[in-house]
Every structure is written in structure tokens, then in C-alpha cells.
Amino acid sequence: MSEIRRDPTTGDWIVVAPRRLERPWQPESFCPFDPGAPETGHGWDVLILPNRYPVVSADTLPPRPDGFYETARAYGRALVVVETPSHDLDDLSDLPVEQIEKVLRMVRDEAARAASDPGVLYLLYFRNKGREIGVSLTHPHSQIYELPVVPERIARELERAEEYWRSRGRCLHCDVVARESPSGRSLLRGTRWTAFVPYYARWPHEVHVYPLRHVQLLTQLDDEELAELARVLKAVLCALKRAVGRPMPYMMVLHQAPLRGDHRYYHLHFEIYGMYRPDGRLKYAASAETGAGIYTLDTTPEDTAERLRKALASCRRDTS
Ligand code: UDP
Ligand code: ZN
Ligand code: FE
């Protein structure tokens, strides 16, 4: 049984899902995402599978009301996006750009499907990379959570963007892009997307990727935008991999609007957190970060951008 509980002191949602304890932890001999495994079969190049140990699911019962605390039914879907049949590829950036594009199209299709489910309010798409940050399976994959609540960090961004829109009549994120993309923190600018290390980076190698068009949802992106996004993600992730001399563990999260309601003031983007410091040591979210939400950075976003631009150039040399 899963349920969602709310921390009344912060507004955070916590998905209580004890059955997740049973999921396999870095198994040596068998990979459930390989072709021919019981749930995958053969003849595919990208596959979206139901997560066998889901945080939310359609068959969850409503929680017993507490009377004091706010709870929500852990309704929804948890999915795994198997990005390639090749178990031994290291990262999304190692796939051909057409394959990455196919992954993105399938996620967009799933987002369109999710939008028609009245029980789902938010689609969270994310990717964890690297054993050091706790991936349980190394076969290249990303994940989708279709949730009945809006995650609190997203809710905070929505609030600030709405306030800016109301007081200044403009999109906060468009203004950030206008400020960042010609700056020393810029990594690349295409015709439809831009990538930069934000002025306000919290993690040692943090990169934000924005569509230049003001859109709120993955489903609003057209085929040309997805095709360029595939190229940009491949380049940025390749740069992360090369930035400090050994493959960088990272987290990548799509920030988009909730699936329902009017959120025209919001602007979708990807946030990528590369977790190594320049010396190749892992940055931990310890007391200050986790307990108080104040981040310390042992480097500057400007130096990070410089390092990543060099890595981007090296990636470009090898692919041309
Ligand atoms: N998983 C699955 N089928 C299996 C074994 C594992 O769907 O046969 C799921 C597992 O529940 C986990 C995901 O695959 O959520 C692997 O995700 P990852 O390692 O990125 O991070 P985790 O979700 O474990 O924190
Ligand atoms: Zn905008
Ligand atoms: Fe964001």
C-alpha cells in the first residue's frame, strides 16, 4: 500500500511506498531491461515499461483520512523509459541523435496520454545517471512519474513565475534566457534551444536547457523542437561526461507546467545537475543544503561554463 502525505510545515509531498524496498539493487547477472527479458521481448529500440515497483499506481486505494494531516491517494503511473537495447552503453549522450529523438517523442506521446487521465495532475520526467547517486540499474533508462499532486519545488517556481507575470507582464524565464544566453555562462544557442550554467546554479556542474519559444508543456513542442532538443541534450551530456576527466554522475529533470489549469506564465525547461566538483569529487547535499535549503558552491558558475565549453568543443571535434 502506498499513500501520499503532506508535511504541513513545508508543504512538501512524501510518497510512502514501502513495496519499493523489494526492487533489485544493482544486480550483477540479470538485467530486466535487456531484450528478451520477461517484460521486454524483442524487436524494439525504445521501450516504455510500467515500473515493477511503482511509487504510484492506478490500483492504489484512497488513504484513510487522518483528520489532521493532509493526505492524497497514491494514484498515477510510474514508468521506465528503456532508451536502448544495448545494456553496456554508458549514457544517453552515447546514443545516436536519432535514437535520442525517438526517446523524446515517446515521452511526449506518453505525456499526451497522461493529460487525458483526470486523476493525473503532473508528469515528472527525469533521468538519474551514475551508481554514486544511487541508480539501481545501469542499463540506460529514464523515468516518468504521473502524479496526482504538483511537486513542491515546481509549485514554488510556478508561484514566482506567476507573480512576475502579474507584476511585470512578462515571463520570468524568458527574461532569464535573455540575460543568460549572451552571457559568459552560455554554453550554446541553437535556433530553437539554448543551454547555460545559470547565474544561480546550486550544483557544481549545473546546466539549464530552455526552448526559445515560450511554451509550458512537453506536448506543445513540435517535431523540429524535439529534433534540436535531442542534439542539444547529446552535446550537453557529452560535455558533462568529459568536464572533469571521468564520467559525471548527474540528475536531469524536466520542469513543465501541471497538466491542467492555465499556466501561461510558465516556461518549461530541463535542469541538469552534474554532481562532481572540478576535482572529480562528489558533491553531497549535506546539512546546509538538505536541512536548510541553502546551497554552497565550491566553484563559480562562470568557471564551470568555461570548463563545459571546452568539453563541448572536444565533443564536437570527435563527432565531426
Ligand atoms: N525496475 C523495474 N523492473 C525491474 C527492476 C527494476 O521497473 O524488473 C525499476 C525500479 O523500480 C527502479 C527503476 O527500475 O525504479 C530503476 O531506476 P533507477 O535506478 O534510475 O532509480 P530508482 O528508481 O531505483 O531510485
Ligand atoms: Zn517564457
Ligand atoms: Fe526550474
Side-chain angles (χ1 to χ4, degrees), residues 153-154 157 173 208 210 255 266-267 269-271 273:
R153 194 170 173 85
I154 308 290
E157 274 195 21
H173 296 259
H208 291 195
Y210 272 82
H255 283 184
Y266 194 62
H267 194 139
H269 53 279
F270 286 81
E271 300 196 1
Y273 317 131

Side-chain angles (χ1 to χ4, degrees), residues 20 23-24 32-33 50-53 80 128 135-137 141 143:
R20 300 256 311 143
R23 74 193 192 280
F33 301 156
N51 194 313
R52 268 190 77 143
Y53 310 89
V80 174
N128 297 323
V135 298
S136 56
L137 295 170
H141 70 281
Q143 298 195 49

